[in-house]
Every structure is written in C-alpha cells, then in structure tokens.
C-alpha cells in the first residue's frame, strides 16, 4: 500500500520505522486538507480473506468461469494485468490461467511474471485471495513466431486444457514500423487462430481491438467494415519488401488510416472474419483506456500513453502550452477496470450467442466500449475537476509552476512553445550540464512535439460510436453481476473518477511517495506566491486561454 512506500521513505531518510499509521498520516490529513489519501485510493477497503466453498453457486458470470482454464496473451501489459487480477479475485472457482510471456531484457518469462505480481496493483488480490499463485502458469513463447514458438508440451496443454482465450497482445505504438505492426497485430492473430482450432473444448476466444480500428469512418458501429486493401496482399507485401522499402511506402499503403496501429488492428479484424470459421469468437473494441475507476485500487495506471502523458506533463510543470480547443472535442476515455469487466462479460455473451445460434451466420459479435455516446466529457471539464480536487496532491517532482495555455492559433502556439518550452529547456539543460547532471528537458519537449504530431489526426476529429451490443449486454446482466462486474458508462461519475486519478497518477505512475505530500504542499505554496497565474479569456485571431492547472 501507499503506507508501505511511506515507511520505506522514512527509512531512506534515516528515521525509525516505529511510527503508527495515525502519526504518519497526521502530517498529510489536516483541516485544510481533510481527505485521507489511502481512503481515496481505496487501499483501506480490502475485504477480509474468505475461502469460497466449492459447492457455493456464484453469479452467472462467475459460473461461466467455473473450472475453466484461461489462456491470456498480453498479460504483462496494462490491461492484461487488470484482467489477471480481476479473474483471480472475482472468479473463485476458475481453474487455471496460462499466460503467454516472452524473454525480455534478459529476464525469463517466469521472472517477468514474478516481477508483475510485485506491482501494488495486486495488493488487494494478495490480501483477499492469498492462495491464488498456484492457479497461474507461464507458457514461454513469442507472438511473432509460428504458433507462438510454444514447446510441444505447451501446445498439447493448450489443445487439451484451454477453454477460454483472451487475446490482448499488440503493439499499441502509433508510430510503429509497419512490418513490426503487421508481425504482431496481424500475423500474431493468425497464429492464435491456428492454435485455437486445435482446442478440444473451446468456449470462446475474445479478441481485443480498438474503437478506432475503422477511424476513417466518423460514425462507427458494431460491425466489420470493408477495407480498400486485402489483408492477404498487405501480408505478402510486408514479407516481400525490406523494412526500409516498406517504411518508405507506409503512408501510401495505410491511407486513409492515420497510423500503423489502427491500420493493422483493422486488418486483424478482417483476418478474423475470414479465417475463424468454426471458432466461437468475439471482438471487443474499447476507446482510449485510462486509470482505474474503483478497483482493485482507484487511480492506478502504469503508462503515459495518449492523454495521460499530457496530464502528467501539466501536473509536473513540464507542459505549459498545447494546441487545441478544450470545448470542441469530447475526451472519449474509459477506465481500464470497467473495460476489463466489459470484456469478461462479453466473453460469456459471445459464448452464449454461438451456443444458442443467436448470431447471424458468418458475423462476429462486436462490442464497442466508449464513453462519448452515453457519458461524454470535454477536456474543459477534466481541467475543472482536476483544479477542484487535484491541488491537495502536488508532486515534489514538479520542475516548474502549474499552468497550461491552450490555443488553436498555430502562430501563437509556435511563439508560446518557444518561450515556455524550447528556451527554458535549453537554459535548464545547460545548467544541469554545468552541475554534472544529465540534461533531460530538451529531449522531453522534442518527444512532446512528436506526440502532438502523432495525435493531430485525433485532436481535430469527432467520432460517434454506436454501442448497442454493449448496452444490451449490460441490461441483460443479473443484478449481482452488475455489482461485481460494473461497466455501465452511463452511471460513471467523472468527478468521482478524477478525484482519485490525480492522486493515483502521483502515487502509482510518477512514483512520488505519499510521505512527500507535506513538503510538496510547501513547495507549491512558495511557487504560487512567487508566480501569479490567472484564468483569462482573450482574443488573438482565435480564442486563447491561460488556465491554472493543479493536477496533482
């Protein structure tokens, strides 16, 4: 828990570890700041361990996973970790989980899994279900190899034991090289289909795609769209051309898709449609996935992809100017724990559709999971809620004051970027070198510019996602399953979410121990007294605004 990190922080400072919890937190919880950070994160709400009798009947979703052996690709990733945690904690009679893991950075697959379970994400699982580890095994392999490079023994286990498959492995980099993206996102999916066809008792295979797979369409429904190119021809082209040749032609090959990620995810769906005959398969398409909403802890995240990187940049005082409009576009984001709950429930729904022949022949059930249709939120609301709730949790790692200028005017943006990013970056890096420290800011601002360019396509467009299948799935759940596997976006409170996200980013992502909160608050007070920032609307060809953003 965060309290454990606090105690380790005190030890590093040479202080004794004999302080009681109340003594530790009394510096943080004050009349001016009455919120308990551990309560806000949900780390005080763990249930007492309970052995569930085998004969105890669970909810329909829980019973679907009774005695099931589940195979998961992408289990070491952001969403995969939440899926593993949820299945082990919420499905007491699940039989086993097999995780596909590859050798990486000199660490064996087993070492990597051991490292994953050290993540604070699994604190709740370890407390509530201490006897879980025997249910998890590794299958050593690589998604880019034929049949994942599984050993003969693992292939036999796969065929004889696996009942449910979750395919979440993918490269999610927007600027990934086309050959690599095809190898992982498309050919990897094909190899999984080959393996799935060997399974003797397969209930369902759920493929995790993205709501933006067919982003050239501004209105996206839960169906497969035709592509202007045949996936087989693209695969052959990728095999026949060198990486440099393919890189040179990438823009023309993927047109009208904006990047290799969305393009190859669309190809993968087309491949599934053509090559998965006889397999009970479904496709789950989430939009932009962000921090946890309420479980296993609130505000947990382990990456800075997409909008999270922008929020962290502002919260640490690094990002001060951004090109865009806070009111024009909604931020179609979905919390990762709700995404996983929807995915788990869609697995049973897909299996039922195939079992009862409820689906149209030749069509794959598709579930879009997004917020824009049922519960939209603008970037302005995100900023407002962050200002309201985030100033209790400033980070000691902040390098400058908290401010953000948002403008639609390219010329004004260029001027502000020079004075607020480029010039300070060079100056501070120069002094860092004089002090013998590693210069970082210039490189960070260069990366931010790259991210801005990559996200340009998505900043200037608005999509409408039709998610009738997902809404129907929710409506048909039992009341107990709705409580246990909550994913109803229409009943999500964005203010409740952002209340914890600001602290969660500080604790789980920035790795800023909670014991620094008092010092960080003092630093924040010094900053705000020496720097006056006001919220101002004014005109410079187009409306611009300067907003004070206290995101941590």
């Amino acid at each position: 828990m965060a309290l454990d990190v606090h105690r380790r922080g005190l030890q590093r400072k040479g202080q004794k570890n004999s302080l009681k919890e109340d003594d530790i937190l009394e510096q943080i919880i004050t009349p001016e700041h009455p919120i308990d950070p551990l309560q806000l994160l949900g780390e005080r709400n763990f249930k007492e361990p309970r052995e569930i009798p085998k004969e105890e009947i669970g909810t329909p979703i829980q019973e679907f996973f009774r005695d099931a052996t589940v195979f998961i690709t992408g289990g070491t990733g952001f969403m995969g970790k939440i899926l593993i945690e949820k299945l082990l904690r919420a499905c007491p009679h699940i039989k086993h989980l097999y995780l596909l893991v590859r050798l990486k950075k000199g660490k064996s697959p087993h070492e990597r899994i051991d490292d994953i379970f050290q993540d604070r994400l699994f604190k709740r699982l370890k407390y509530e279900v201490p006897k879980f580890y025997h249910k998890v095994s590794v299958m050593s392999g690589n998604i880019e190899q034929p049949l994942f490079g599984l050993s003969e023994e693992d292939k036999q286990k796969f065929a004889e034991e696996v009942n449910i498959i979750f395919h979440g492995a993918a490269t999610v980099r927007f600027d990934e090289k086309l050959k690599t993206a095809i190898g992982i996102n498309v050919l990897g999916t094909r190899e999984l289909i080959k393996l799935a066809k060997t399974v003797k008792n397969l209930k369902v295979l759920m493929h995790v795609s993205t709501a933006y797979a067919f982003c050239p369409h501004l209105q996206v429904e839960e169906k497969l769209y035709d592509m202007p190119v045949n996936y087989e021809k693209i695969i052959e082209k990728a095999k026949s051309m060198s990486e440099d040749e393919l890189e040179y032609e990438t823009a023309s090959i993927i047109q009208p898709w904006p990047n290799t990620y969305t393009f190859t995810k669309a190809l993968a769906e087309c491949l599934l449609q053509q090559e998965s005959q006889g397999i009970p398969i479904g496709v789950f398409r989430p939009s932009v996935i962000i921090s946890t909403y309420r479980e296993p802890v609130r505000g947990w995240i382990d990456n800075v992809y997409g909008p999270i990187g922008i929020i962290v940049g502002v919260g640490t005082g690094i990002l001060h100017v951004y090109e865009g409009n806070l009111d024009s576009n909604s931020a179609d984001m979905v919390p990762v724990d709700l995404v996983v709950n929807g995915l788990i429930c869609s697995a049973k729904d897909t299996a039922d559709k195939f079992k009862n022949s409820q689906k149209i022949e030749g069509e794959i059930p598709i579930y879009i999971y997004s917020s824009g249709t049922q519960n939209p939120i603008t970037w302005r609301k995100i900023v407002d809620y962050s200002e309201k709730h985030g100033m209790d949790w400033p980070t000691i790692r902040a390098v400058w004051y908290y401010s953000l200028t948002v403008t639609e005017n390219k010329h004004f943006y260029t001027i502000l970027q020079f004075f607020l990013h480029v010039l300070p970056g060079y100056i501070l890096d120069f002094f860092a070198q004089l002090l013998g420290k590693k210069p970082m800011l210039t490189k960070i601002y260069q990366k931010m510019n790259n991210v801005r360019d990559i996200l340009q396509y998505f900043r200037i467009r608005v999509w409408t996602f039709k998610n009738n299948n997902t809404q129907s799935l929710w409506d048909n759940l039992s009341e107990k399953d709705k409580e246990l596997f909550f994913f109803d976006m229409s009943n999500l409170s964005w203010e409740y979410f952002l209340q914890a996200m600001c602290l969660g980013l500080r604790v789980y992502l920035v790795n800023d121990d909670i014991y620094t909160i008092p010092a960080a608050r003092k630093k924040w007070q010094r900053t705000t007294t020496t720097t006056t920032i006001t919220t101002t609307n004014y005109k410079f060809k187009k409306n611009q605004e300067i907003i004070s953003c206290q995101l941590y």
Side-chain angles (χ1 to χ4, degrees), residues 99-125:
L99 312 179
L100 180 72
V101 185
R102 63 185 173 93
L103 176 72
K104 185 177 181 181
K105 296 181 180 178
K107 287 193 174 184
S108 71
H110 292 88
E111 289 174 326
R112 291 186 64 199
I113 289 300
D114 287 339
D115 288 346
I116 284 173
F117 281 113
Q118 297 306 310
D119 194 305
R120 287 162 62 185
L121 170 72
F122 295 97
K123 288 278 188 179
R124 181 175 179 181
L125 173 65

PDB file of all heavy atoms in Angstrom, residues 99-125:
ATOM      1  N   LEU A  99      -0.432 -17.825 -19.072  1.00  0.00           N
ATOM      2  CA  LEU A  99      -0.035 -16.531 -19.604  1.00  0.00           C
ATOM      3  C   LEU A  99       1.085 -16.715 -20.606  1.00  0.00           C
ATOM      4  O   LEU A  99       2.115 -17.325 -20.294  1.00  0.00           O
ATOM      5  CB  LEU A  99       0.443 -15.614 -18.466  1.00  0.00           C
ATOM      6  CG  LEU A  99      -0.452 -15.525 -17.231  1.00  0.00           C
ATOM      7  CD1 LEU A  99       0.181 -14.595 -16.195  1.00  0.00           C
ATOM      8  CD2 LEU A  99      -1.848 -15.049 -17.599  1.00  0.00           C
ATOM      9  N   LEU A 100       0.901 -16.182 -21.818  1.00  0.00           N
ATOM     10  CA  LEU A 100       1.955 -16.208 -22.822  1.00  0.00           C
ATOM     11  C   LEU A 100       2.938 -15.092 -22.493  1.00  0.00           C
ATOM     12  O   LEU A 100       2.577 -13.917 -22.486  1.00  0.00           O
ATOM     13  CB  LEU A 100       1.380 -16.008 -24.224  1.00  0.00           C
ATOM     14  CG  LEU A 100       2.422 -16.009 -25.355  1.00  0.00           C
ATOM     15  CD1 LEU A 100       2.968 -17.411 -25.582  1.00  0.00           C
ATOM     16  CD2 LEU A 100       1.826 -15.456 -26.646  1.00  0.00           C
ATOM     17  N   VAL A 101       4.187 -15.448 -22.222  1.00  0.00           N
ATOM     18  CA  VAL A 101       5.201 -14.457 -21.843  1.00  0.00           C
ATOM     19  C   VAL A 101       6.497 -14.797 -22.571  1.00  0.00           C
ATOM     20  O   VAL A 101       6.874 -15.966 -22.678  1.00  0.00           O
ATOM     21  CB  VAL A 101       5.455 -14.453 -20.317  1.00  0.00           C
ATOM     22  CG1 VAL A 101       6.424 -13.330 -19.944  1.00  0.00           C
ATOM     23  CG2 VAL A 101       4.141 -14.291 -19.555  1.00  0.00           C
ATOM     24  N   ARG A 102       7.191 -13.761 -23.058  1.00  0.00           N
ATOM     25  CA  ARG A 102       8.447 -13.962 -23.773  1.00  0.00           C
ATOM     26  C   ARG A 102       9.634 -13.493 -22.951  1.00  0.00           C
ATOM     27  O   ARG A 102       9.483 -12.744 -21.988  1.00  0.00           O
ATOM     28  CB  ARG A 102       8.430 -13.203 -25.102  1.00  0.00           C
ATOM     29  CG  ARG A 102       8.332 -11.692 -24.975  1.00  0.00           C
ATOM     30  CD  ARG A 102       8.188 -11.040 -26.332  1.00  0.00           C
ATOM     31  NE  ARG A 102       7.934  -9.605 -26.243  1.00  0.00           N
ATOM     32  CZ  ARG A 102       8.885  -8.668 -26.276  1.00  0.00           C
ATOM     33  NH1 ARG A 102      10.153  -9.027 -26.389  1.00  0.00           N
ATOM     34  NH2 ARG A 102       8.568  -7.392 -26.208  1.00  0.00           N
ATOM     35  N   LEU A 103      10.794 -13.951 -23.333  1.00  0.00           N
ATOM     36  CA  LEU A 103      12.031 -13.458 -22.752  1.00  0.00           C
ATOM     37  C   LEU A 103      12.185 -11.988 -23.123  1.00  0.00           C
ATOM     38  O   LEU A 103      11.994 -11.602 -24.262  1.00  0.00           O
ATOM     39  CB  LEU A 103      13.216 -14.263 -23.285  1.00  0.00           C
ATOM     40  CG  LEU A 103      14.620 -13.819 -22.863  1.00  0.00           C
ATOM     41  CD1 LEU A 103      14.852 -14.165 -21.402  1.00  0.00           C
ATOM     42  CD2 LEU A 103      15.673 -14.504 -23.742  1.00  0.00           C
ATOM     43  N   LYS A 104      12.539 -11.145 -22.143  1.00  0.00           N
ATOM     44  CA  LYS A 104      12.678  -9.720 -22.413  1.00  0.00           C
ATOM     45  C   LYS A 104      13.722  -9.113 -21.490  1.00  0.00           C
ATOM     46  O   LYS A 104      13.685  -9.322 -20.271  1.00  0.00           O
ATOM     47  CB  LYS A 104      11.329  -9.008 -22.216  1.00  0.00           C
ATOM     48  CG  LYS A 104      11.342  -7.535 -22.595  1.00  0.00           C
ATOM     49  CD  LYS A 104       9.955  -6.920 -22.429  1.00  0.00           C
ATOM     50  CE  LYS A 104       9.951  -5.458 -22.827  1.00  0.00           C
ATOM     51  NZ  LYS A 104       8.614  -4.834 -22.644  1.00  0.00           N
ATOM     52  N   LYS A 105      14.643  -8.376 -22.087  1.00  0.00           N
ATOM     53  CA  LYS A 105      15.684  -7.671 -21.340  1.00  0.00           C
ATOM     54  C   LYS A 105      16.432  -8.600 -20.385  1.00  0.00           C
ATOM     55  O   LYS A 105      16.733  -8.254 -19.240  1.00  0.00           O
ATOM     56  CB  LYS A 105      15.085  -6.484 -20.574  1.00  0.00           C
ATOM     57  CG  LYS A 105      14.507  -5.402 -21.474  1.00  0.00           C
ATOM     58  CD  LYS A 105      13.947  -4.240 -20.675  1.00  0.00           C
ATOM     59  CE  LYS A 105      13.384  -3.167 -21.604  1.00  0.00           C
ATOM     60  NZ  LYS A 105      12.789  -2.034 -20.855  1.00  0.00           N
ATOM     61  N   GLY A 106      16.709  -9.796 -20.873  1.00  0.00           N
ATOM     62  CA  GLY A 106      17.491 -10.745 -20.090  1.00  0.00           C
ATOM     63  C   GLY A 106      16.723 -11.463 -19.004  1.00  0.00           C
ATOM     64  O   GLY A 106      17.293 -12.285 -18.284  1.00  0.00           O
ATOM     65  N   LYS A 107      15.435 -11.165 -18.859  1.00  0.00           N
ATOM     66  CA  LYS A 107      14.628 -11.823 -17.838  1.00  0.00           C
ATOM     67  C   LYS A 107      13.793 -12.934 -18.457  1.00  0.00           C
ATOM     68  O   LYS A 107      13.168 -12.757 -19.504  1.00  0.00           O
ATOM     69  CB  LYS A 107      13.708 -10.814 -17.141  1.00  0.00           C
ATOM     70  CG  LYS A 107      14.439  -9.876 -16.196  1.00  0.00           C
ATOM     71  CD  LYS A 107      13.464  -9.129 -15.311  1.00  0.00           C
ATOM     72  CE  LYS A 107      14.217  -8.305 -14.263  1.00  0.00           C
ATOM     73  NZ  LYS A 107      13.287  -7.640 -13.325  1.00  0.00           N
ATOM     74  N   SER A 108      13.775 -14.073 -17.778  1.00  0.00           N
ATOM     75  CA  SER A 108      12.987 -15.200 -18.254  1.00  0.00           C
ATOM     76  C   SER A 108      11.504 -14.898 -18.067  1.00  0.00           C
ATOM     77  O   SER A 108      11.131 -14.030 -17.266  1.00  0.00           O
ATOM     78  CB  SER A 108      13.353 -16.461 -17.477  1.00  0.00           C
ATOM     79  OG  SER A 108      12.873 -16.380 -16.140  1.00  0.00           O
ATOM     80  N   PRO A 109      10.627 -15.617 -18.793  1.00  0.00           N
ATOM     81  CA  PRO A 109       9.185 -15.409 -18.618  1.00  0.00           C
ATOM     82  C   PRO A 109       8.730 -15.575 -17.165  1.00  0.00           C
ATOM     83  O   PRO A 109       7.885 -14.818 -16.684  1.00  0.00           O
ATOM     84  CB  PRO A 109       8.571 -16.479 -19.526  1.00  0.00           C
ATOM     85  CG  PRO A 109       9.587 -16.666 -20.611  1.00  0.00           C
ATOM     86  CD  PRO A 109      10.910 -16.531 -19.918  1.00  0.00           C
ATOM     87  N   HIS A 110       9.288 -16.554 -16.453  1.00  0.00           N
ATOM     88  CA  HIS A 110       8.883 -16.760 -15.061  1.00  0.00           C
ATOM     89  C   HIS A 110       9.327 -15.600 -14.175  1.00  0.00           C
ATOM     90  O   HIS A 110       8.590 -15.175 -13.274  1.00  0.00           O
ATOM     91  CB  HIS A 110       9.463 -18.083 -14.542  1.00  0.00           C
ATOM     92  CG  HIS A 110       8.865 -19.296 -15.194  1.00  0.00           C
ATOM     93  ND1 HIS A 110       9.373 -19.825 -16.365  1.00  0.00           N
ATOM     94  CD2 HIS A 110       7.787 -20.064 -14.858  1.00  0.00           C
ATOM     95  CE1 HIS A 110       8.639 -20.878 -16.718  1.00  0.00           C
ATOM     96  NE2 HIS A 110       7.674 -21.040 -15.817  1.00  0.00           N
ATOM     97  N   GLU A 111      10.515 -15.072 -14.435  1.00  0.00           N
ATOM     98  CA  GLU A 111      10.988 -13.916 -13.676  1.00  0.00           C
ATOM     99  C   GLU A 111      10.118 -12.705 -13.940  1.00  0.00           C
ATOM    100  O   GLU A 111       9.827 -11.909 -13.027  1.00  0.00           O
ATOM    101  CB  GLU A 111      12.445 -13.612 -14.040  1.00  0.00           C
ATOM    102  CG  GLU A 111      13.445 -14.620 -13.510  1.00  0.00           C
ATOM    103  CD  GLU A 111      14.861 -14.356 -14.016  1.00  0.00           C
ATOM    104  OE1 GLU A 111      15.001 -13.886 -15.179  1.00  0.00           O
ATOM    105  OE2 GLU A 111      15.811 -14.619 -13.270  1.00  0.00           O
ATOM    106  N   ARG A 112       9.680 -12.546 -15.171  1.00  0.00           N
ATOM    107  CA  ARG A 112       8.829 -11.401 -15.512  1.00  0.00           C
ATOM    108  C   ARG A 112       7.488 -11.486 -14.801  1.00  0.00           C
ATOM    109  O   ARG A 112       6.961 -10.473 -14.320  1.00  0.00           O
ATOM    110  CB  ARG A 112       8.628 -11.329 -17.025  1.00  0.00           C
ATOM    111  CG  ARG A 112       9.882 -10.952 -17.805  1.00  0.00           C
ATOM    112  CD  ARG A 112       9.551 -10.759 -19.270  1.00  0.00           C
ATOM    113  NE  ARG A 112       8.631  -9.636 -19.459  1.00  0.00           N
ATOM    114  CZ  ARG A 112       7.903  -9.470 -20.557  1.00  0.00           C
ATOM    115  NH1 ARG A 112       7.960 -10.352 -21.549  1.00  0.00           N
ATOM    116  NH2 ARG A 112       7.101  -8.426 -20.669  1.00  0.00           N
ATOM    117  N   ILE A 113       6.914 -12.680 -14.719  1.00  0.00           N
ATOM    118  CA  ILE A 113       5.641 -12.840 -14.018  1.00  0.00           C
ATOM    119  C   ILE A 113       5.811 -12.579 -12.536  1.00  0.00           C
ATOM    120  O   ILE A 113       4.968 -11.930 -11.897  1.00  0.00           O
ATOM    121  CB  ILE A 113       5.058 -14.250 -14.267  1.00  0.00           C
ATOM    122  CG1 ILE A 113       4.580 -14.366 -15.709  1.00  0.00           C
ATOM    123  CG2 ILE A 113       3.897 -14.538 -13.311  1.00  0.00           C
ATOM    124  CD1 ILE A 113       3.495 -13.378 -16.092  1.00  0.00           C
ATOM    125  N   ASP A 114       6.910 -13.052 -11.961  1.00  0.00           N
ATOM    126  CA  ASP A 114       7.173 -12.763 -10.550  1.00  0.00           C
ATOM    127  C   ASP A 114       7.256 -11.253 -10.325  1.00  0.00           C
ATOM    128  O   ASP A 114       6.747 -10.732  -9.327  1.00  0.00           O
ATOM    129  CB  ASP A 114       8.480 -13.431 -10.108  1.00  0.00           C
ATOM    130  CG  ASP A 114       8.347 -14.943  -9.976  1.00  0.00           C
ATOM    131  OD1 ASP A 114       7.203 -15.418  -9.837  1.00  0.00           O
ATOM    132  OD2 ASP A 114       9.380 -15.636 -10.022  1.00  0.00           O
ATOM    133  N   ASP A 115       7.905 -10.553 -11.251  1.00  0.00           N
ATOM    134  CA  ASP A 115       8.015  -9.093 -11.138  1.00  0.00           C
ATOM    135  C   ASP A 115       6.644  -8.433 -11.224  1.00  0.00           C
ATOM    136  O   ASP A 115       6.358  -7.464 -10.508  1.00  0.00           O
ATOM    137  CB  ASP A 115       8.924  -8.546 -12.239  1.00  0.00           C
ATOM    138  CG  ASP A 115      10.395  -8.874 -12.005  1.00  0.00           C
ATOM    139  OD1 ASP A 115      10.741  -9.283 -10.882  1.00  0.00           O
ATOM    140  OD2 ASP A 115      11.184  -8.738 -12.957  1.00  0.00           O
ATOM    141  N   ILE A 116       5.805  -8.929 -12.124  1.00  0.00           N
ATOM    142  CA  ILE A 116       4.474  -8.346 -12.312  1.00  0.00           C
ATOM    143  C   ILE A 116       3.665  -8.425 -11.022  1.00  0.00           C
ATOM    144  O   ILE A 116       2.992  -7.464 -10.621  1.00  0.00           O
ATOM    145  CB  ILE A 116       3.738  -9.044 -13.466  1.00  0.00           C
ATOM    146  CG1 ILE A 116       4.295  -8.562 -14.797  1.00  0.00           C
ATOM    147  CG2 ILE A 116       2.233  -8.776 -13.401  1.00  0.00           C
ATOM    148  CD1 ILE A 116       3.759  -9.310 -15.984  1.00  0.00           C
ATOM    149  N   PHE A 117       3.739  -9.559 -10.334  1.00  0.00           N
ATOM    150  CA  PHE A 117       2.949  -9.715  -9.112  1.00  0.00           C
ATOM    151  C   PHE A 117       3.499  -8.908  -7.941  1.00  0.00           C
ATOM    152  O   PHE A 117       2.896  -8.881  -6.869  1.00  0.00           O
ATOM    153  CB  PHE A 117       2.822 -11.195  -8.745  1.00  0.00           C
ATOM    154  CG  PHE A 117       1.790 -11.927  -9.562  1.00  0.00           C
ATOM    155  CD1 PHE A 117       2.158 -12.919 -10.460  1.00  0.00           C
ATOM    156  CD2 PHE A 117       0.449 -11.606  -9.454  1.00  0.00           C
ATOM    157  CE1 PHE A 117       1.213 -13.583 -11.221  1.00  0.00           C
ATOM    158  CE2 PHE A 117      -0.509 -12.262 -10.210  1.00  0.00           C
ATOM    159  CZ  PHE A 117      -0.135 -13.250 -11.097  1.00  0.00           C
ATOM    160  N   GLN A 118       4.647  -8.241  -8.144  1.00  0.00           N
ATOM    161  CA  GLN A 118       5.148  -7.310  -7.137  1.00  0.00           C
ATOM    162  C   GLN A 118       4.498  -5.943  -7.264  1.00  0.00           C
ATOM    163  O   GLN A 118       4.633  -5.095  -6.374  1.00  0.00           O
ATOM    164  CB  GLN A 118       6.675  -7.173  -7.269  1.00  0.00           C
ATOM    165  CG  GLN A 118       7.453  -8.451  -7.011  1.00  0.00           C
ATOM    166  CD  GLN A 118       7.122  -9.092  -5.677  1.00  0.00           C
ATOM    167  OE1 GLN A 118       7.129  -8.418  -4.643  1.00  0.00           O
ATOM    168  NE2 GLN A 118       6.824 -10.379  -5.703  1.00  0.00           N
ATOM    169  N   ASP A 119       3.793  -5.716  -8.379  1.00  0.00           N
ATOM    170  CA  ASP A 119       3.115  -4.438  -8.589  1.00  0.00           C
ATOM    171  C   ASP A 119       2.070  -4.230  -7.503  1.00  0.00           C
ATOM    172  O   ASP A 119       1.367  -5.159  -7.101  1.00  0.00           O
ATOM    173  CB  ASP A 119       2.451  -4.431  -9.976  1.00  0.00           C
ATOM    174  CG  ASP A 119       2.031  -3.040 -10.410  1.00  0.00           C
ATOM    175  OD1 ASP A 119       1.282  -2.372  -9.662  1.00  0.00           O
ATOM    176  OD2 ASP A 119       2.433  -2.624 -11.513  1.00  0.00           O
ATOM    177  N   ARG A 120       1.962  -2.996  -7.035  1.00  0.00           N
ATOM    178  CA  ARG A 120       0.988  -2.685  -5.981  1.00  0.00           C
ATOM    179  C   ARG A 120      -0.450  -2.909  -6.434  1.00  0.00           C
ATOM    180  O   ARG A 120      -1.371  -2.969  -5.612  1.00  0.00           O
ATOM    181  CB  ARG A 120       1.190  -1.247  -5.513  1.00  0.00           C
ATOM    182  CG  ARG A 120       2.441  -1.092  -4.676  1.00  0.00           C
ATOM    183  CD  ARG A 120       2.889   0.337  -4.572  1.00  0.00           C
ATOM    184  NE  ARG A 120       1.902   1.172  -3.933  1.00  0.00           N
ATOM    185  CZ  ARG A 120       2.039   2.479  -3.824  1.00  0.00           C
ATOM    186  NH1 ARG A 120       3.089   3.075  -4.334  1.00  0.00           N
ATOM    187  NH2 ARG A 120       1.122   3.192  -3.216  1.00  0.00           N
ATOM    188  N   LEU A 121      -0.642  -3.048  -7.708  1.00  0.00           N
ATOM    189  CA  LEU A 121      -1.965  -3.396  -8.236  1.00  0.00           C
ATOM    190  C   LEU A 121      -2.494  -4.676  -7.601  1.00  0.00           C
ATOM    191  O   LEU A 121      -3.702  -4.843  -7.413  1.00  0.00           O
ATOM    192  CB  LEU A 121      -1.868  -3.574  -9.752  1.00  0.00           C
ATOM    193  CG  LEU A 121      -3.079  -4.169 -10.462  1.00  0.00           C
ATOM    194  CD1 LEU A 121      -4.201  -3.148 -10.497  1.00  0.00           C
ATOM    195  CD2 LEU A 121      -2.721  -4.610 -11.864  1.00  0.00           C
ATOM    196  N   PHE A 122      -1.598  -5.611  -7.270  1.00  0.00           N
ATOM    197  CA  PHE A 122      -2.011  -6.926  -6.771  1.00  0.00           C
ATOM    198  C   PHE A 122      -2.083  -6.993  -5.249  1.00  0.00           C
ATOM    199  O   PHE A 122      -2.265  -8.081  -4.695  1.00  0.00           O
ATOM    200  CB  PHE A 122      -1.064  -7.999  -7.304  1.00  0.00           C
ATOM    201  CG  PHE A 122      -1.129  -8.167  -8.798  1.00  0.00           C
ATOM    202  CD1 PHE A 122      -0.211  -7.532  -9.621  1.00  0.00           C
ATOM    203  CD2 PHE A 122      -2.124  -8.929  -9.382  1.00  0.00           C
ATOM    204  CE1 PHE A 122      -0.277  -7.670 -10.998  1.00  0.00           C
ATOM    205  CE2 PHE A 122      -2.199  -9.064 -10.756  1.00  0.00           C
ATOM    206  CZ  PHE A 122      -1.278  -8.439 -11.577  1.00  0.00           C
ATOM    207  N   LYS A 123      -1.947  -5.854  -4.558  1.00  0.00           N
ATOM    208  CA  LYS A 123      -2.047  -5.838  -3.103  1.00  0.00           C
ATOM    209  C   LYS A 123      -3.390  -6.394  -2.632  1.00  0.00           C
ATOM    210  O   LYS A 123      -3.468  -7.178  -1.681  1.00  0.00           O
ATOM    211  CB  LYS A 123      -1.866  -4.416  -2.581  1.00  0.00           C
ATOM    212  CG  LYS A 123      -0.461  -3.869  -2.676  1.00  0.00           C
ATOM    213  CD  LYS A 123       0.381  -4.357  -1.520  1.00  0.00           C
ATOM    214  CE  LYS A 123       1.730  -3.662  -1.516  1.00  0.00           C
ATOM    215  NZ  LYS A 123       2.563  -4.093  -0.394  1.00  0.00           N
ATOM    216  N   ARG A 124      -4.439  -5.958  -3.291  1.00  0.00           N
ATOM    217  CA  ARG A 124      -5.771  -6.393  -2.866  1.00  0.00           C
ATOM    218  C   ARG A 124      -5.953  -7.889  -3.094  1.00  0.00           C
ATOM    219  O   ARG A 124      -6.491  -8.594  -2.237  1.00  0.00           O
ATOM    220  CB  ARG A 124      -6.841  -5.603  -3.626  1.00  0.00           C
ATOM    221  CG  ARG A 124      -8.265  -5.964  -3.229  1.00  0.00           C
ATOM    222  CD  ARG A 124      -9.278  -5.072  -3.923  1.00  0.00           C
ATOM    223  NE  ARG A 124     -10.632  -5.436  -3.562  1.00  0.00           N
ATOM    224  CZ  ARG A 124     -11.719  -4.829  -4.042  1.00  0.00           C
ATOM    225  NH1 ARG A 124     -11.587  -3.819  -4.892  1.00  0.00           N
ATOM    226  NH2 ARG A 124     -12.921  -5.220  -3.670  1.00  0.00           N
ATOM    227  N   LEU A 125      -5.512  -8.383  -4.243  1.00  0.00           N
ATOM    228  CA  LEU A 125      -5.621  -9.811  -4.539  1.00  0.00           C
ATOM    229  C   LEU A 125      -4.878 -10.627  -3.490  1.00  0.00           C
ATOM    230  O   LEU A 125      -5.389 -11.635  -2.985  1.00  0.00           O
ATOM    231  CB  LEU A 125      -5.063 -10.095  -5.933  1.00  0.00           C
ATOM    232  CG  LEU A 125      -4.963 -11.567  -6.329  1.00  0.00           C
ATOM    233  CD1 LEU A 125      -6.342 -12.198  -6.434  1.00  0.00           C
ATOM    234  CD2 LEU A 125      -4.199 -11.722  -7.642  1.00  0.00           C
TER     235      LEU A 125
END
